[in-house]
Amino acid sequence: MTVLRVVESGSVASGAVEEAVDAGAMENARKTLEEVKAEGVPAVLRLAAKFGELGEGEAAVVEAGALKAAYDSLSAPERECLDRTAARIRVFAEAQRKSLGDVTTPIPGGEAGHRVAAVKVAGCYAPGGRYPLPSSVLMTAVTARAAGVETVVVASPKPSQITLAAAHVAGATVFLAIGGAHAIAALATGVFPKIPRCDVICGPGNKWVTAAKAVCSVSAGVGIDMLAGPSEVLVIADETADPSVVAADLLAQAEHDVVARPILVAFSASRNAAAIVDSVNAELEKQLDVLPTKAVAEPAVRAGFAVACASVDEAVRVADAVAPEHLEVVCENAQAVADRCDHYGGLFVGAKAAEVLGDYGIGPNHTLPTNATSRYTGGLAVFHFLRIRTWMRIDDLKAAKPAVQDAVTLARLEAAAVLGCCMRMLKEQLGGDTCSAVTVATIPKLERAPRMTPHGNWRRWRAAALTASSWELERRVNHRNLVDLFSKDIVPEVLADELHGLEVIGRDDLRLDNALDKSVPHLVAVTFERRGNAAAAPGLGVHNFVKGGIAPGGGPYHFRQQKLERALGDNPLWRGDWRRGGGGGGHIL
């Protein structure tokens, strides 16, 4: 007996999802992409031959003229069906496109906005395993064209005439008669002369195709629509639902694949939800016996499940926990119940809105998120082929001044924590008993500073260094090294007490004396003051800096060599010694 197994509602939890991509398929996809990158077309053709996708003398690339010939070879009713279906999909997609436009808004001192532009090349995949799927060709390629994509490439293995004809109707530029991971790799790399590298690849597929999309999105730099898994349908039903209709809708998804998931969530005002499940299961058995695709649908039904809920609230909770690809609401006050549901790919409201209408082109796209990913994304739409590019222009600097001041303040706030950490480390590691003031400011070009700037009984000298990247900063802080003070372009003024010394670590490949006359990003000037005797501190100046090290002259102002050595210990950044006195060219690094 093949029926939906009954589970408790409490066992259906949010986030209970399977791995989106099979590990073995991922490894195969990586290997395939590497082969295609290394060998090009021969690798794709070799894999196509391995899987029997191309017969003797058959071309891998089908051009627009051949697509038109396939369309012309169909009967009039078949051509008209494709035309009408494409038109309905196009109307919906164009309505989506109109919902998003360019924006311009005032900002202090100027204007900002965004521009919406389609990608240049889209790859649209349609499965071709058990059955031809011209509907998937229409859903993907028509949508790409409605978005404004200039070049649309359709790929599908062993295409029938109806598949090629659908590509023509959809406005495909060219057709790749190959499938699987190697087809995705070919779309992502543009190895065929007549098929440019795709910016976005979309469309459903088996685990090999899904894995290839995942790999190519990372290793080939292409966008993808989603990582689609096995098809799903969840039907919320009460006593008013016709069990035969509910069963038929469940089987319509079950026959897609042996791993498809049909799910029934029944609720009853009279607390008789179990009886609803029993009646639907009875219909499933009857219809399966005469279903031509029983061999595929029966395993899927066994893998599905049913939940008998005590209330509509419980039914909605279960549906949201599953977050199904297709959600049907077949009950009294169906719209009100549907409005309470939050997570689904496509919603079908009422007994007349059969899910099969969505599959076969009534308007909305049938390429929908599976495996609970509808919690954060939606189905294929023109938006997957669009780029939102922001811009700004400043015309009046005076009017922009408040925003500039806020930017400086925020930069100070963000950098203060980093500087404070560095100051504490310096104090702890180097010790000292002299009160110091430290000022750090961004400079667009490093300039030589005066060697001595008298100010009462204070003496000031200036150090300059390249800041390291933020990851270097974090790494060095974690290892308690003497580190760069900042990874920001704008840094704050900070007062730090009891500094005995200060080191700024620069990039090893740049010497400061070579950078003085160049405009180098991330150059900062570090100025600090120390109370002391001017006569005891000769020769302090930027010429004493090598690779970011501070090498002050003799007297009480120099770092204590022993303390510094103890602080640095085995630090690999320690490379030098102290040379004291008279403005010598000493160095730390």
Side-chain angles (χ1 to χ4, degrees), residues 25-58:
M26 285 290 286
E27 184 57 35
N28 175 78
R30 291 188 192 96
K31 181 181 177 182
T32 299
L33 180 60
E34 289 172 2
E35 291 178 4
V36 172
K37 282 182 174 180
E39 303 175 41
V41 173
V44 181
L45 295 181
R46 182 178 67 251
L47 291 167
K50 175 182 177 180
F51 295 106
E53 294 173 340
L54 294 175
E56 188 68 30
E58 289 182 329

Short mmCIF file of all heavy atoms in Angstrom, two decimals, residues 25-58:
data_model
loop_
_atom_site.label_atom_id
_atom_site.label_comp_id
_atom_site.label_asym_id
_atom_site.label_seq_id
_atom_site.Cartn_x
_atom_site.Cartn_y
_atom_site.Cartn_z
N ALA A 25 28.59 15.15 -6.04
CA ALA A 25 28.29 15.98 -7.22
C ALA A 25 29.14 17.24 -7.23
O ALA A 25 29.58 17.70 -8.30
CB ALA A 25 26.80 16.35 -7.24
N MET A 26 29.42 17.79 -6.05
CA MET A 26 30.27 18.97 -5.98
C MET A 26 31.69 18.65 -6.45
O MET A 26 32.31 19.41 -7.19
CB MET A 26 30.31 19.50 -4.55
CG MET A 26 29.05 20.21 -4.12
SD MET A 26 28.84 21.81 -4.94
CE MET A 26 30.08 22.79 -4.09
N GLU A 27 32.21 17.50 -6.02
CA GLU A 27 33.56 17.12 -6.43
C GLU A 27 33.61 16.90 -7.94
O GLU A 27 34.58 17.30 -8.61
CB GLU A 27 33.99 15.85 -5.68
CG GLU A 27 35.43 15.42 -5.97
CD GLU A 27 36.44 16.50 -5.66
OE1 GLU A 27 36.24 17.25 -4.69
OE2 GLU A 27 37.44 16.61 -6.42
N ASN A 28 32.58 16.27 -8.47
CA ASN A 28 32.51 16.07 -9.92
C ASN A 28 32.47 17.41 -10.65
O ASN A 28 33.12 17.59 -11.69
CB ASN A 28 31.27 15.25 -10.27
CG ASN A 28 31.07 15.12 -11.76
OD1 ASN A 28 31.72 14.34 -12.44
ND2 ASN A 28 30.14 15.91 -12.30
N ALA A 29 31.71 18.35 -10.10
CA ALA A 29 31.58 19.66 -10.74
C ALA A 29 32.91 20.40 -10.75
O ALA A 29 33.27 21.04 -11.75
CB ALA A 29 30.52 20.49 -10.03
N ARG A 30 33.66 20.32 -9.65
CA ARG A 30 34.98 20.97 -9.61
C ARG A 30 35.91 20.38 -10.66
O ARG A 30 36.61 21.11 -11.38
CB ARG A 30 35.60 20.81 -8.21
CG ARG A 30 34.89 21.59 -7.12
CD ARG A 30 35.67 21.52 -5.82
NE ARG A 30 34.86 22.00 -4.71
CZ ARG A 30 34.16 21.23 -3.89
NH1 ARG A 30 34.20 19.91 -4.04
NH2 ARG A 30 33.43 21.74 -2.92
N LYS A 31 35.92 19.07 -10.75
CA LYS A 31 36.77 18.39 -11.72
C LYS A 31 36.37 18.77 -13.14
O LYS A 31 37.22 19.04 -14.00
CB LYS A 31 36.69 16.88 -11.53
CG LYS A 31 37.55 16.08 -12.49
CD LYS A 31 37.40 14.58 -12.24
CE LYS A 31 38.21 13.79 -13.26
NZ LYS A 31 38.03 12.32 -13.08
N THR A 32 35.06 18.80 -13.40
CA THR A 32 34.57 19.14 -14.73
C THR A 32 34.97 20.55 -15.11
O THR A 32 35.43 20.81 -16.23
CB THR A 32 33.03 18.99 -14.78
OG1 THR A 32 32.68 17.62 -14.50
CG2 THR A 32 32.49 19.38 -16.14
N LEU A 33 34.79 21.50 -14.19
CA LEU A 33 35.15 22.88 -14.49
C LEU A 33 36.64 23.00 -14.77
O LEU A 33 37.05 23.72 -15.69
CB LEU A 33 34.75 23.79 -13.33
CG LEU A 33 35.07 25.28 -13.50
CD1 LEU A 33 34.38 25.85 -14.73
CD2 LEU A 33 34.69 26.06 -12.25
N GLU A 34 37.46 22.32 -13.99
CA GLU A 34 38.91 22.36 -14.22
C GLU A 34 39.26 21.83 -15.61
O GLU A 34 40.10 22.39 -16.32
CB GLU A 34 39.63 21.54 -13.14
CG GLU A 34 39.61 22.19 -11.77
CD GLU A 34 40.15 21.27 -10.69
OE1 GLU A 34 40.58 20.14 -11.05
OE2 GLU A 34 40.14 21.65 -9.51
N GLU A 35 38.61 20.72 -16.01
CA GLU A 35 38.88 20.14 -17.33
C GLU A 35 38.47 21.09 -18.44
O GLU A 35 39.19 21.26 -19.43
CB GLU A 35 38.16 18.81 -17.46
CG GLU A 35 38.71 17.71 -16.58
CD GLU A 35 37.93 16.41 -16.72
OE1 GLU A 35 37.00 16.36 -17.56
OE2 GLU A 35 38.25 15.44 -16.00
N VAL A 36 37.30 21.71 -18.29
CA VAL A 36 36.81 22.63 -19.32
C VAL A 36 37.69 23.86 -19.40
O VAL A 36 38.01 24.35 -20.50
CB VAL A 36 35.34 23.00 -19.06
CG1 VAL A 36 34.87 24.09 -20.01
CG2 VAL A 36 34.45 21.77 -19.19
N LYS A 37 38.12 24.39 -18.26
CA LYS A 37 39.02 25.54 -18.28
C LYS A 37 40.35 25.19 -18.96
O LYS A 37 40.90 26.00 -19.69
CB LYS A 37 39.29 26.02 -16.85
CG LYS A 37 38.18 26.84 -16.23
CD LYS A 37 38.60 27.29 -14.83
CE LYS A 37 37.59 28.24 -14.21
NZ LYS A 37 38.00 28.69 -12.85
N ALA A 38 40.84 23.98 -18.70
CA ALA A 38 42.15 23.60 -19.22
C ALA A 38 42.11 23.21 -20.69
O ALA A 38 43.00 23.55 -21.47
CB ALA A 38 42.70 22.44 -18.39
N GLU A 39 41.05 22.51 -21.11
CA GLU A 39 41.02 21.94 -22.46
C GLU A 39 40.05 22.65 -23.40
O GLU A 39 40.16 22.51 -24.63
CB GLU A 39 40.66 20.47 -22.39
CG GLU A 39 41.59 19.62 -21.53
CD GLU A 39 41.10 18.19 -21.41
OE1 GLU A 39 40.63 17.63 -22.42
OE2 GLU A 39 41.16 17.64 -20.29
N GLY A 40 39.06 23.35 -22.83
CA GLY A 40 38.10 24.04 -23.69
C GLY A 40 37.08 23.11 -24.30
O GLY A 40 36.61 22.13 -23.69
N VAL A 41 36.74 23.37 -25.56
CA VAL A 41 35.67 22.63 -26.26
C VAL A 41 35.91 21.13 -26.26
O VAL A 41 34.97 20.34 -26.06
CB VAL A 41 35.51 23.17 -27.69
CG1 VAL A 41 34.54 22.30 -28.49
CG2 VAL A 41 35.01 24.62 -27.65
N PRO A 42 37.12 20.64 -26.52
CA PRO A 42 37.32 19.18 -26.53
C PRO A 42 36.86 18.50 -25.24
O PRO A 42 36.32 17.39 -25.28
CB PRO A 42 38.84 19.04 -26.73
CG PRO A 42 39.22 20.26 -27.48
CD PRO A 42 38.36 21.34 -26.92
N ALA A 43 37.07 19.12 -24.10
CA ALA A 43 36.63 18.54 -22.83
C ALA A 43 35.11 18.45 -22.78
O ALA A 43 34.54 17.44 -22.35
CB ALA A 43 37.15 19.36 -21.66
N VAL A 44 34.43 19.50 -23.23
CA VAL A 44 32.96 19.50 -23.23
C VAL A 44 32.44 18.41 -24.16
O VAL A 44 31.53 17.64 -23.81
CB VAL A 44 32.42 20.87 -23.64
CG1 VAL A 44 30.89 20.86 -23.62
CG2 VAL A 44 32.94 21.97 -22.72
N LEU A 45 33.00 18.32 -25.35
CA LEU A 45 32.54 17.32 -26.32
C LEU A 45 32.84 15.90 -25.85
O LEU A 45 32.04 14.97 -26.09
CB LEU A 45 33.18 17.58 -27.68
CG LEU A 45 32.80 18.91 -28.35
CD1 LEU A 45 33.50 19.05 -29.69
CD2 LEU A 45 31.29 19.02 -28.52
N ARG A 46 33.97 15.71 -25.20
CA ARG A 46 34.30 14.38 -24.68
C ARG A 46 33.28 13.93 -23.64
O ARG A 46 32.81 12.79 -23.66
CB ARG A 46 35.70 14.40 -24.07
CG ARG A 46 36.16 13.03 -23.56
CD ARG A 46 37.56 13.06 -22.99
NE ARG A 46 37.67 13.84 -21.79
CZ ARG A 46 38.28 15.01 -21.71
NH1 ARG A 46 38.84 15.56 -22.78
NH2 ARG A 46 38.34 15.66 -20.56
N LEU A 47 32.90 14.85 -22.74
CA LEU A 47 31.92 14.50 -21.71
C LEU A 47 30.52 14.32 -22.32
O LEU A 47 29.76 13.46 -21.88
CB LEU A 47 31.90 15.59 -20.64
CG LEU A 47 33.16 15.64 -19.77
CD1 LEU A 47 33.21 16.92 -18.95
CD2 LEU A 47 33.22 14.42 -18.85
N ALA A 48 30.20 15.12 -23.33
CA ALA A 48 28.92 14.96 -24.00
C ALA A 48 28.82 13.60 -24.68
O ALA A 48 27.78 12.93 -24.63
CB ALA A 48 28.73 16.08 -25.03
N ALA A 49 29.92 13.16 -25.29
CA ALA A 49 29.94 11.84 -25.92
C ALA A 49 29.83 10.74 -24.87
O ALA A 49 29.15 9.72 -25.08
CB ALA A 49 31.22 11.68 -26.73
N LYS A 50 30.47 10.94 -23.73
CA LYS A 50 30.42 9.96 -22.66
C LYS A 50 28.99 9.69 -22.21
O LYS A 50 28.62 8.54 -21.90
CB LYS A 50 31.27 10.45 -21.48
CG LYS A 50 31.22 9.57 -20.25
CD LYS A 50 32.06 10.17 -19.12
CE LYS A 50 31.94 9.33 -17.85
NZ LYS A 50 32.75 9.92 -16.75
N PHE A 51 28.18 10.73 -22.17
CA PHE A 51 26.80 10.60 -21.72
C PHE A 51 25.80 10.44 -22.87
O PHE A 51 24.58 10.52 -22.66
CB PHE A 51 26.41 11.79 -20.84
CG PHE A 51 27.20 11.86 -19.57
CD1 PHE A 51 28.21 12.80 -19.40
CD2 PHE A 51 26.96 10.97 -18.54
CE1 PHE A 51 28.94 12.86 -18.23
CE2 PHE A 51 27.69 11.02 -17.36
CZ PHE A 51 28.68 11.97 -17.20
N GLY A 52 26.31 10.25 -24.08
CA GLY A 52 25.44 10.00 -25.22
C GLY A 52 24.56 11.16 -25.61
O GLY A 52 23.44 10.97 -26.08
N GLU A 53 25.06 12.36 -25.45
CA GLU A 53 24.23 13.53 -25.72
C GLU A 53 24.27 13.95 -27.19
O GLU A 53 23.36 14.66 -27.65
CB GLU A 53 24.69 14.70 -24.84
CG GLU A 53 24.43 14.45 -23.37
CD GLU A 53 25.03 15.53 -22.47
OE1 GLU A 53 25.94 16.25 -22.91
OE2 GLU A 53 24.58 15.64 -21.32
N LEU A 54 25.31 13.58 -27.90
CA LEU A 54 25.42 13.97 -29.30
C LEU A 54 25.58 12.73 -30.17
O LEU A 54 26.47 11.89 -29.91
CB LEU A 54 26.63 14.91 -29.51
CG LEU A 54 26.55 16.28 -28.85
CD1 LEU A 54 27.87 17.02 -29.03
CD2 LEU A 54 25.40 17.10 -29.41
N GLY A 55 24.74 12.63 -31.20
CA GLY A 55 24.85 11.53 -32.14
C GLY A 55 25.88 11.83 -33.21
O GLY A 55 26.47 12.93 -33.26
N GLU A 56 26.09 10.88 -34.07
CA GLU A 56 27.05 11.05 -35.15
C GLU A 56 26.66 12.23 -36.03
O GLU A 56 25.55 12.30 -36.55
CB GLU A 56 27.09 9.77 -36.01
CG GLU A 56 28.18 9.76 -37.06
CD GLU A 56 29.57 9.67 -36.45
OE1 GLU A 56 29.71 9.09 -35.36
OE2 GLU A 56 30.52 10.20 -37.07
N GLY A 57 27.57 13.17 -36.17
CA GLY A 57 27.33 14.32 -37.04
C GLY A 57 26.48 15.41 -36.43
O GLY A 57 26.24 16.43 -37.08
N GLU A 58 26.01 15.25 -35.20
CA GLU A 58 25.18 16.27 -34.57
C GLU A 58 26.05 17.39 -34.01
O GLU A 58 27.10 17.14 -33.41
CB GLU A 58 24.32 15.68 -33.46
CG GLU A 58 23.21 14.79 -33.95
CD GLU A 58 22.34 14.25 -32.81
OE1 GLU A 58 22.89 14.07 -31.70
OE2 GLU A 58 21.15 14.02 -33.04
#
